[in-house]
Amino acid sequence: MNKKLLLIFLFLFSLNSFSQRGIKIGYIDTEYILENLNEFNSISERLEEKSEEWIQEIEQKSRTIEKKKENLKSERIFLTKEMIEDAEDEIDLEEEELSIYKQKKFGSDGDYLLQKKQLVQPIQDQIFNAIKEIAKSKNYDFIFDKSADIVMLYSNRRHDISDQVIRIISRSNNRKKLDSRKDKREADEENMIEDTIGVDETSQNKNKLTEVDSLSEVQVPKKRLSVKELLEQRKQKNSNKRKVKD
């Protein structure tokens, strides 16, 4: 309460300081902004899916504990005192572990809130940067958050700049997507060029190999015979001719 009174006092003091030149005031609704950002909806869906998994685990463990309680109740008359105490101790331990697990997942410092904060923080930074951009370009003196602790008893809709914030963030995200697509397209083009160069080099190598094979297929000139070999060859021909005549 003291915090709210202090903020109101500071606001009224600021109004008095700016009264001579007039002030420009705006406000946003963070909840409305988040609900209308696709990025936040996607994050919320992923977080809810994870949360549902944890809830199912908790329910399964709870059913297991309840089943053990029922079994102990029905079998109690057949068990010794020591056996009953051991079974009760085991059930108590499992209930304590389940309580710790619940706190770990959904407590004030649990995984659910921590992951939500980590996932939402980048979007909150975008909202803050968009507000600064609007305040600077349109000369706002104050911009309040309707979703915060400050109680706004009345607010004129024309001072709400939430839609402007959404447009700035959406435009920025779309620009990033376009840049990402452009980078991917350029990378694909580079890969295509490299592949083309590789094909050309392979083709050139094949041509070189073909040329080598062609050269190897060229007939090798016959070996030149010596005089002695020529005489022997002539004798052999004459001998063959005589045999044919006979």
Side-chain angles (χ1 to χ4, degrees):
M1 187 66 182
N2 292 333
K3 181 181 178 182
K4 292 180 181 179
L5 290 174
L6 178 61
L7 289 172
I8 293 172
F9 173 77
L10 292 173
F11 175 64
L12 293 174
F13 178 78
S14 300
L15 285 178
N16 183 55
S17 301
F18 288 100
S19 59
Q20 292 183 355
R21 70 170 179 83
I23 61 173
K24 191 171 183 180
I25 300 174
Y27 71 90
I28 65 166
D29 186 343
T30 300
E31 292 180 0
Y32 170 81
I33 292 172
L34 292 175
E35 289 171 358
N36 287 275
L37 289 175
N38 293 330
E39 290 77 12
F40 177 76
N41 292 328
S42 177
I43 287 171
S44 297
E45 288 176 2
R46 294 204 306 269
L47 190 58
E48 288 305 316
E49 289 176 359
K50 195 65 180 177
S51 172
E52 187 62 30
E53 291 180 7
W54 294 335
I55 290 173
Q56 289 178 3
E57 289 179 19
I58 291 171
E59 290 177 347
Q60 178 62 39
K61 291 179 180 180
S62 296
R63 286 193 294 269
T64 301
I65 292 172
E66 290 302 319
K67 183 67 175 177
K68 288 185 177 182
K69 287 182 177 180
E70 292 175 3
N71 291 339
L72 178 59
K73 184 177 180 181
S74 61
E75 297 172 0
R76 183 180 289 269
I77 58 176
F78 303 108
L79 302 175
T80 63
K81 182 179 179 181
E82 289 78 8
M83 294 172 69
I84 293 173
E85 289 178 352
D86 289 341
E88 288 176 341
D89 289 341
E90 183 180 347
I91 292 172
D92 291 340
L93 179 60
E94 290 184 6
E95 285 181 329
E96 184 179 353
E97 289 176 347
L98 179 59
S99 178
I100 293 172
Y101 184 79
K102 288 180 180 178
Q103 190 67 22
K104 179 183 177 183
K105 297 301 181 184
F106 297 102
S108 57
D109 295 323
D111 293 341
Y112 181 83
L113 291 180
L114 288 175
Q115 290 190 21
K116 184 176 182 180
K117 183 178 179 181
Q118 291 173 355
L119 292 171
V120 173
Q121 187 61 49
I123 298 178
Q124 290 178 331
D125 293 339
Q126 285 184 313
I127 292 174
F128 180 68
N129 291 332
I131 291 171
K132 287 199 300 182
E133 181 178 334
I134 294 170
K136 185 177 180 180
S137 63
K138 298 189 176 181
N139 298 318
Y140 277 94
D141 295 302
F142 298 97
I143 296 179
F144 298 100
D145 186 355
K146 188 177 180 181
S147 304
D149 293 335
I150 299 176
V151 179
M152 299 181 68
L153 300 177
Y154 173 77
S155 58
N156 193 318
R157 187 72 177 81
R158 67 188 179 89
H159 297 301
D160 188 352
I161 62 171
S162 300
D163 288 325
Q164 297 180 49
V165 172
I166 293 172
R167 284 196 296 271
I168 289 175
I169 294 174
S170 298
R171 186 166 60 245
S172 174
N173 290 337
N174 290 334
R175 191 180 299 116
K176 289 178 182 178
K177 289 179 181 178
L178 289 173
D179 292 340
S180 177
R181 290 173 185 170
K182 181 180 178 182
D183 293 339
K184 185 178 183 300
R185 186 167 61 251
E186 290 176 352
D188 291 340
E189 290 175 354
E190 289 178 0
N191 291 332
M192 289 177 64
I193 293 171
E194 290 176 358
D195 292 341
T196 303
I197 293 172
V199 170
D200 291 342
E201 289 177 350
T202 302
S203 178
Q204 291 175 2
N205 292 334
K206 287 183 178 178
N207 291 335
K208 290 179 180 178
L209 289 172
T210 303
E211 291 175 0
V212 172
D213 292 339
S214 299
L215 291 173
S216 64
E217 291 175 358
V218 175
Q219 292 184 351
V220 180
K222 293 182 179 180
K223 183 180 178 183
R224 190 172 181 179
L225 299 176
S226 64
V227 175
K228 183 178 180 181
E229 288 173 338
L230 286 171
L231 291 171
E232 289 293 333
Q233 193 177 65
R234 187 176 298 173
K235 288 180 181 180
Q236 184 67 35
K237 286 181 180 179
N238 293 332
S239 176
N240 291 335
K241 285 180 181 180
R242 290 194 193 97
K243 290 179 179 179
V244 170
K245 287 179 181 182
D246 295 339

